[in-house]
Amino acid sequence: MADWLAAIILGLVEGLTEFIPVSSTGHLLLTKEALGLPPEPWDTFIVMIQLGAILAVVALYFQRLWKVLVGLPGKDPAARMFALSVLLAFIPSAIVGLLFHDFIKRVLFNPTIVCVTLILGGFALIALERWAPPARTEDSMKFSWKTALGVGLFQCLSIIPGVSRSGATIVGGLLLGVDKRAAAEFSFFLAIPTMVAAFGLDFWESRDLINGDVAGLIGIGFVVSFFSGLFVVRTLVDFVGRYGFAPFAAWRILVGGVGLLAIWAYG
């Protein structure tokens, strides 16, 4: 397969899975294995194209985010509360990511780990659909500092490929009494600093691998993930409000199960 076509496929997978609780990294790694792509530069490619999907959030929520930025210098209490909640939720995963970045890429980027965590995460979502505590927080921009920090601690679980960054934050939010729609939206906002930091760290550590050809492939994946991410962000909150997280749980279990069968069959 031509590299440019592989870049388009991976970019599409990234955009369609980044914001739903099915693990974009897990799906990207399994797709990479299915396409027979080597670890480098494709592991670096997988991390770096995630920024394209994140920019979709910035584009769609620009007015709300701009209002926060404008309100911070004027000491708008609501703006400060929202900015603090995102910062508190971001800090735990930033620390864990810096400490374990090399270990994650060297050891945890493993198809078997991805499949197992996909399945376990699917059953966790099914359990939450039935036994989640009553929602006390319904506005994604009005999290208490305790709720925000708790969601951030849950996000640390997503260092394991297959867990899902959005899945971990949404599960954390639901367990802490956050409404489904608000949990999904806060996951969008938290993705911005988290993925920008991951992009910057991986870019710096992989700078010697990024030549003109690799940069071109990243550019293709970046654009494709941006536009496919736009579609998902536009539709996800309403979809979750109507159907909940059960469809994503079923998908996780299906993909993880098929992946394990393929690993067992083809080794």
Side-chain angles (χ1 to χ4, degrees), residues 36 49 57 64 151 262:
I49 64 168
V57 174
R64 290 168 68 174
V151 170

Side-chain angles (χ1 to χ4, degrees), residues 38 53 64 128 176 187 225:
R64 290 168 68 174
L128 273 175
L176 295 168
S187 176
S225 68

Side-chain angles (χ1 to χ4, degrees), residues 1-11 35-38 40-42 45 211 213-214 216-218 220-221:
M1 177 179 293
D3 285 348
W4 64 267
L5 183 55
I8 290 174
I9 293 172
L10 290 172
L35 296 177
L37 301 173
E40 292 299 344
W42 294 101
F45 172 95
N211 54 33
D213 292 338
V214 174
L217 293 174
I218 291 173
I220 292 171

